[in-house]
Amino acid sequence: MTGDADALAVYVHWPFCLSKCPYCDFNSHVADAVDHARWRDALLAELAHYAAETAGRTVTSLFFGGGTPSLMEPATAAAVIEAVAGHWRAADDLEITLEANPTSVEAARFRDLGAAGVNRVSIGVQALDDAALRFLGRGHSVEEARRAVDLARTIFPRASFDLIYARPGQTVESWERELTEAISLAGEHLSLYQLSIERGTPFFAAHRGGAFALPDEDAGAALYDATQETCEAHGLPAYEISNHARPGAECRHNLVYWTGGDYVGVGPGAHGRLTLAGEPVATEQVPGPANWLDAVAAQGHATRRREPLGWPARIEEMLMTGLRLRAGIARDTFLARTGIELEDAMEPRRLRRLLDGGFLVLDARGLRATGEGRVRLNAVLAALLA
Ligand SMILES: C[S@@+](CC[C@H](N)C(=O)[O-])C[C@H]1O[C@@H](n2cnc3c(N)ncnc32)[C@H](O)[C@@H]1O
Ligand code: SF4
């Protein structure tokens, strides 16, 4: 990553799914009908709105997230890509990622998305075990997921997929087998999330009611350790807590978030971080799809929050996200983005305790968590920033 103040990432949220998974608390909804032309025009309106104050900058990545953006009409994705290239300068190696659900994949749709300019897909495989897919309420089988990944790899230059582990009853041995298969299927990038129980989801009530139990802390730690070892042994080390890649195949878009770069966020509930006239600004769009659409129709955008963040808050965010990365926070990037040295961003005694405790390392390259520190990153951040 560079500390280039000119660079910009763009996030586009597509909030619809074919069905709502019982564990998921993303801003995703099942809709009877979607007026694709209206959605396209509204997304284009929000892009134009943010482009007006960030014109001249270079877009290094565009990310269609969701929800299930593989349900977008390829023509909508094409219009968004064209608009992005028109509003800003497009980097030569512009990364254009789209999240896909294996259920929504047809060869023709994938081909059209590729022709539109999408050059990276991230597929929600979730498990390579049919019983686990049923438990997770997914609408696809392992076989369909494999076919979706195989197809994606023939169409897009880069592909990744997501798995959810630390599922009820999962053993280290069965997870290692599943993960080894996933690595051979994936090729260059995998996102591996531990199942988390989110308030307000059907899983929250079911879990509380005793319908299932998650692995306890020790079992969860053993599964995490097995994940690190297996991925490392196969050449896909973790470059972030939940993300593994062959060196060079990291998701550039997410690196922008984690290294404190600027990004525009459009679509329902999207967040943005922009440095405008030297000051960090936070933006957030109206979350509900219908309200978002109405607000864009009425005023050309659906920004519900737009406020100066202040450098102390922005720096705290950068420390929290930067320490998620194995490479940590690069000294020169941090200085270029904030105007201050890393050491001056932290309370010296708190920092010293974590360095002496073996949880953090600070050297000429920058600041990063040790293996010990990464395992208990939340506690490390609380001790550093409280
Ligand atoms: C927006 S979804 C991905 C794309 C697509 N909607 C799909 O599900 O195939 C992002 C990812 O977050 C992960 N995720 C969502 N809720 C989770 C939870 N409660 N625990 C762990 N991972 C979760 C899933 O792996 C999912 O693929
Ligand atoms: S996991 Fe993906 S498909 Fe399932 S509800 Fe969430 S966003 Fe939609």
Side-chain angles (χ1 to χ4, degrees), residues 50-57 87-88:
Y50 279 114
E53 46 191 350
T54 50
R57 295 179 67 171
H87 288 310
W88 294 280

Side-chain angles (χ1 to χ4, degrees), residues 9 45 91 117 144 154 171 173 177 216 222 240 247 267 271 288 353 360 373:
E144 281 172 290
T154 66
T171 63
E173 293 69 31
R177 269 198 307 278
D216 64 19
E240 189 266 349
H271 290 241
R353 266 204 298 274
L360 293 177

Side-chain angles (χ1 to χ4, degrees), residues 21-33:
C21 306
Y23 54 84
C24 176
D25 77 339
F26 280 67
N27 184 15
S28 58
H29 310 264
V30 179
D32 292 336

Side-chain angles (χ1 to χ4, degrees), residues 23 26 66-68 99-101 124 126 138 162 164 193-194 196:
Y23 54 84
F26 280 67
T68 304
E99 286 182 334
N101 183 314
Q126 318 307 2
R138 300 291 290 181
D162 299 349
I164 295 179
Y193 302 109
Q194 297 210 23
S196 66

Side-chain angles (χ1 to χ4, degrees), residues 347-369:
E347 206 278 311
R349 267 178 314 183
R350 288 179 182 280
L351 175 61
R352 175 51 47 206
R353 266 204 298 274
L354 291 164
L355 294 171
D356 291 346
F359 301 111
L360 293 177
V361 175
L362 180 68
D363 60 17
R365 266 166 49 207
L367 178 72
R368 59 196 169 279

Side-chain angles (χ1 to χ4, degrees), residues 16-21 23 30 67-72 98-110 113 122-127 130 133-134 136-149 151-152 161-162:
F16 302 115
C17 297
L18 288 178
S19 60
K20 183 80 189 174
C21 306
Y23 54 84
V30 179
T68 304
S70 49
L71 294 172
M72 285 172 100
L98 180 131
E99 286 182 334
N101 183 314
T103 317
S104 65
V105 167
E106 318 144 22
R109 184 183 284 276
F110 257 16
L113 288 165
S122 170
I123 303 176
V125 168
Q126 318 307 2
D130 279 317
L133 287 176
R134 279 193 295 279
L136 292 169
R138 300 291 290 181
H140 58 87
S141 63
V142 172
E143 197 37 48
E144 281 172 290
R146 278 200 200 102
R147 276 206 301 273
V149 173
L151 179 66
F161 63 82
D162 299 349

Side-chain angles (χ1 to χ4, degrees), residues 316-333:
E316 187 165 310
E317 279 184 353
M318 288 168 72
L319 293 170
M320 290 174 75
T321 55
L323 287 174
R324 295 180 64 85
L325 292 168
R326 176 177 287 220
I329 302 165
R331 199 170 268 289
D332 50 353
T333 306

